[in-house]
Structure formats: C-alpha cells, structure tokens
C-alpha cells in the first residue's frame, strides 16, 4: 500500500491564509493590530531560526511582531522583569518565550510569569487546566497542529486507538488531552508511552494512529507499526551528516502506513500556523467591543 503523504506545508498555508483574512477583518472592526512579542535568550542557532520563521509568518498574516533578544548570560530576574513589562504593555497581545532557556534560568518560573491571557504557547497552568477540562482558551500549538492534520486528511479518530510516544509538557501530554476530548478529530482511545513503558513495540503495534514526539532520530521502525497505521511525526532531529530526520524511520514505516507526515514539511509548519491563530485569539480576548 502506498502511503498518503500528509502535506503539512500546504495545509498550514491554507490555515495561514484564513487567519490572515480573519486578522484583517479584526483590524478593520477594532482598529487594533494583533501583536506578538517574541523573547529569545542566548544564541542557539536553531532557536533563532524558529523565532525568525514565526516572525515572518506573523508579518504575512498581518500580525505585528517584535523580537526581544537577550544575552545568553541574562539572569532570571532580568528576564522576569521583561516578561512583567510585556504583560503590562496593552499594545502586546501575545508573549512567546522561546525554549530552551539557558541553564541559569528556571523555565517554569518564567513560563508561569506570562499573563495567562497572553500565553499563546498555552504553557501556563491556568491554560493547561482549561484545556484538560475541555474548555481551552488557547490551543497548544504543536498538538493542535497535529490534530488539524488528522482532520484535514479525513482520518477517522472516533474510537481509534491513538498511541502518543513522549510525555513532554509541550507535545505528548497536551496531545493526549486533545485526542481524548469530545469533539471533532478527537473522541479517541489514547495511550501515552514513554521511556519506562514496558514492551513498547507491543503497544505501538496496536496504534491506529501513532504520534511520535520523543525526540529520538528514526526511533520508530517498520516492525513497530501495523499495516494501515496513520503516522504523525513530530520529531525534528539533525543527523551527523546534516540531514533533517524525524522520530520515525520514514521508508520502513511509510511502506506499511496508510498516511504519514514527512520531515520536514509535516508538523513543523502547523505549529507556526497555530501560534498565529492563538495570537489573534489573544488580541480578541484583550479587545473590548
Ligand atoms: N521550543 C521548541 N518548541 C517550542 C514551542 O512550541 N514554543 C516555544 N516557546 N519554544 C519552543
């Protein structure tokens, strides 16, 4: 069976176009331009690329973006001061603190300090709580992007066994929450697997939909999946020879899958589109009338 390649680039482009139209209608109605403030601490090259891509996407959608670049030696209190200033700035609707942060900074303390109404990453405990109760304020960007890919590819999720590999706060846990919820592209039976899961291949072979987000290059192989599985690969890993690969060994898994996302061009573009959506939502929440 030749697997359908789920084209995240094209699906994200459609979504960004819609968000661009909604943004211009919002600006026309309110006179307010949605504004994302991105904070980048240090000079990790991959983070710098991610932030630049997010800013470019904002511009194309008519969303204002500003970048706050801080030195790698920035202290936690300096960063918290900037977050407080952005929280209080009524011109700023969304705040994104790019992760990872340098080791002298307590990531949780910083993410908890972001105003829940400006938390476009959906990392704040208040927003994670709302999400877990099935009444999200913001969408967790990468998981919502994966769910949107499933919806756009008309994958049947209702009653399906979704196996999520990885239990991170950014992807694995919120991914499982989205898929188990009542609603469109959800209503699934969900298993979350991690490094302590016993006999992992036995669990992954039961997956109707496998979502790999464990950060290990080409970890999932063809023997670990059943025929007809739908595979969403969240991983982005650079090999020693500079090639980008996912958490899934593409060739052997695609030979058995009914549909699969490529790396790059699968989940990555969706994360950015969801960030734009959340920034528009944040502007709506903070704009009266
Ligand atoms: N670093 C890797 N992924 C993300 C993300 O989704 N948001 C932020 N803020 N940092 C990241």
């Amino acid at each position: 069976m030749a697997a359908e390649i789920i084209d995240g680039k094209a699906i994200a482009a459609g979504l960004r176009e819609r968000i661009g139209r909604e943004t211009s209608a919002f600006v026309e109605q309110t006179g307010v331009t949605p504004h994302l403030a991105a904070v980048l601490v240090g000079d990790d090259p991959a983070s710098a690329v991610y932030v630049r891509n997010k800013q470019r996407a904002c511009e194309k959608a008519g969303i204002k973006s500003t970048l706050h670049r801080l030195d790698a030696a920035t202290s936690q209190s300096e960063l918290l001061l900037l977050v407080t200033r952005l929280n209080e700035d009524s011109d700023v609707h969304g705040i994104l603190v790019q992760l990872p942060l340098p080791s002298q900074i307590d990531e949780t303390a910083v993410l908890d300090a972001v105003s829940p109404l400006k938390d476009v990453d959906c990392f704040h405990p208040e927003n994670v709580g709302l999400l877990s109760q099935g009444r999200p304020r913001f969408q967790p960007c990468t998981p919502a992007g994966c769910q949107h890919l499933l919806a756009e590819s008309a994958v049947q999720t209702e009653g399906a066994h979704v196996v999520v590999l990885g239990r991170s706060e950014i992807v694995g846990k919120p991914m499982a929450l989205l898929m188990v919820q009542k609603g469109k592209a959800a209503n699934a039976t969900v298993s979350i697997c991690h490094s302590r899961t016993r006999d992992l291949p036995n669990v992954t072979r039961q997956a109707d939909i496998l979502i790999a987000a464990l950060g290990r290059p080409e970890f999932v192989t063809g023997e670990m999946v059943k025929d007809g599985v739908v595979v969403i690969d969240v991983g982005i890993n650079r090999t020693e020879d500079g090639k980008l690969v996912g958490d899934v060994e593409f060739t052997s898994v695609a030979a058995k899958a009914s549909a699969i996302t490529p790396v790059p061009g699968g989940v990555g573009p969706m994360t950015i589109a969801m960030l734009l959506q959340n920034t528009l939502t944040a502007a709506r929440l903070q704009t009266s009338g």
Side-chain angles (χ1 to χ4, degrees), residues 133-158:
Q133 291 184 348
R135 46 185 189 134
R137 175 187 280 146
F138 295 113
Q139 297 289 334
C141 297
T142 300
C146 295
Q147 188 183 36
H148 196 80
L149 288 177
L150 293 171
E152 285 292 307
S153 310
V155 173
Q156 182 58 256
T157 59
E158 180 128 352

Side-chain angles (χ1 to χ4, degrees), residues 13 15 28-29 45 77 106 129 146 198 211 216 226 259 282 284:
L15 195 57
E28 204 167 295
Q29 273 166 23
S77 54
D106 175 358
C146 295
R198 232 175 277 151
I211 303 177
R216 292 178 63 178
K226 72 175 178 189
R284 284 190 174 127

Side-chain angles (χ1 to χ4, degrees), residues 47 50 54 96-100 111 121 123 141-142 170 271:
S47 290
Y50 288 141
K54 288 169 185 176
L96 176 139
V97 180
Q98 184 66 27
L99 303 178
L111 298 180
D121 264 320
F123 289 164
C141 297
T142 300
I170 299 187
T271 300

